Amino acid sequence: MIKKININLYGNKDKSPLIFLHGLNWTHLIWNSVIEQLKDDYFIIAMDLPGHGNSIRLQDYSFNNIANVINETISDLNLTQKITLIGSSIGASIALTFASMYDTVETVVLVDGGFFALKEVEGLTWEDIKKSSFPNEVLKNKESFINYMKSDNPSLWNDNIEQAVLDQIKWSAEHQTYQFKVSEDDQIQYMKDEWNLDTLTLLKSVKAKIVLLIADINPDDDFLNSKIDVFQNNYKNSIVYRLHNTDHLIMLDAEKEFMKIIKDQI
């Protein structure tokens, strides 16, 4: 059987398994620093989602199908313990979907994702999603791409982050420029399920503990506060951490706090 998902294994298989799921356009390398700090105490499975990194493309990018493909992949490992799923952004939505489908999950860690659908964001339309595009001039060479990605928060930049950033793109001889490894069509398919994510229905089938980490830039954000309240009211076995002064990639922007939460909760 052809391996649909590229997986990378770290640590001792006899220890509790942690599975890491990255967000859209990223690869497993986004978790490098976290893995380095956890690999001695856990069995770690870091994967490239379908269509990303070294994983093959799928025809069906529904989160249910991706969860099935992940399950097929980890079944080959013959794990004897329940797993912890740690997902960032869209990876969080896929992690929650997986936990709603399989009872092999002990804990789900949702890193700034998975707790509401994109279509719930006021003023955002599906046409906005489809029309959004990355500035082409940034992809002319590696240096311009790095500078663009680095500009968001240069104080956090390090070699691990640079390696993860560069793993998003590949050179296209045909177009004489760099392109994201994930095609635009595949990105739209991923975003379609993120747009329609039905968190409350998924929660009805989840049996695992849920740890939700939120990049809380504005504590007075009424929309964010309402979504957190709805999530907690509909899933009592959940713990929410609101991390201030951090951006969407919490594991990079607030690494110390992230690591403490992970070690305390799994």
Side-chain angles (χ1 to χ4, degrees):
M1 182 176 67
I2 297 175
K3 293 286 186 183
K4 296 179 180 178
I5 292 184
N6 172 53
I7 61 171
N8 303 267
L9 307 178
Y10 309 84
N12 189 326
K13 192 177 177 182
D14 294 331
K15 296 186 176 180
S16 299
L18 311 184
I19 297 178
F20 286 91
L21 305 178
H22 57 78
L24 189 64
N25 284 329
W26 294 95
T27 70
H28 71 280
L29 294 184
I30 195 72
W31 300 106
N32 265 1
S33 182
V34 172
I35 290 170
E36 189 63 30
Q37 298 176 67
L38 294 173
K39 66 182 182 181
D40 291 338
D41 298 314
Y42 300 93
F43 179 54
I44 294 176
I45 305 156
M47 56 182 64
D48 295 333
L49 291 174
H52 294 71
N54 293 315
S55 293
I56 70 170
R57 296 180 67 186
L58 301 178
Q59 294 296 317
D60 177 6
Y61 282 102
S62 67
F63 292 167
N64 283 57
N65 188 52
I66 293 172
N68 282 327
V69 172
I70 291 172
N71 188 60
E72 289 173 9
T73 302
I74 63 175
S75 293
D76 294 340
L77 298 173
N78 297 314
L79 301 175
T80 58
Q81 301 182 54
K82 286 198 169 187
I83 63 175
T84 292
L85 280 169
I86 303 175
S88 169
S89 193
I90 274 182
S93 301
I94 295 169
L96 185 66
T97 302
F98 186 102
S100 75
M101 296 168 63
Y102 298 100
D103 60 4
T104 54
V105 183
E106 185 79 34
T107 303
V108 185
V109 182
L110 307 179
V111 185
D112 212 37
F115 64 106
F116 65 88
L118 271 183
K119 66 182 178 184
E120 298 172 41
V121 178
E122 187 175 347
L124 184 66
T125 69
W126 178 243
E127 287 302 313
D128 294 332
I129 301 291
K130 289 198 297 183
K131 290 178 180 177
S132 64
S133 61
F134 201 80
N136 290 330
E137 64 274 11
V138 172
L139 292 165
K140 288 181 178 179
N141 55 60
K142 288 183 179 180
E143 184 179 4
S144 60
F145 185 62
I146 288 172
N147 288 336
Y148 179 85
M149 299 295 283
K150 188 177 182 178
S151 64
D152 183 49
N153 201 333
S155 64
L156 290 173
W157 199 260
N158 58 47
D159 289 343
N160 272 333
I161 295 174
E162 182 164 317
Q163 185 183 17
V165 162
L166 289 176
D167 204 36
Q168 295 183 74
I169 58 174
K170 62 182 178 181
W171 176 254
S172 169
E174 178 185 356
H175 298 95
Q176 288 295 297
T177 187
Y178 282 91
Q179 295 182 330
F180 284 100
K181 292 180 179 179
V182 188
S183 72
E184 289 186 13
D185 287 345
D186 289 0
Q187 291 179 44
I188 289 297
Q189 284 198 61
Y190 268 99
M191 292 302 291
K192 184 177 181 181
D193 257 39
E194 187 76 346
W195 178 262
N196 290 313
L197 186 71
D198 189 349
T199 299
L200 298 187
T201 297
L202 293 176
L203 288 175
K204 292 177 183 177
S205 300
V206 176
K207 298 181 176 64
K209 178 175 78 172
I210 297 177
V211 182
L212 175 59
L213 281 62
I214 295 171
D216 195 1
I217 298 172
N218 177 13
D220 298 322
D221 186 328
D222 291 337
F223 173 81
L224 184 63
N225 291 333
S226 68
K227 293 306 169 189
I228 294 170
D229 288 344
V230 168
F231 188 91
Q232 289 190 291
N233 289 337
N234 282 274
Y235 200 77
K236 301 303 182 184
N237 190 17
S238 62
I239 301 171
V240 176
Y241 292 88
R242 302 179 66 157
L243 289 88
H244 306 295
N245 301 316
T246 180
D247 211 334
H248 187 49
L249 297 174
I250 294 172
M251 64 282 196
L252 301 181
D253 296 340
E255 185 178 300
K256 288 183 179 179
E257 295 94 328
F258 178 85
M259 292 304 306
K260 185 178 188 309
I261 292 168
I262 294 298
K263 290 177 179 179
D264 286 348
Q265 295 297 334
I266 62 174

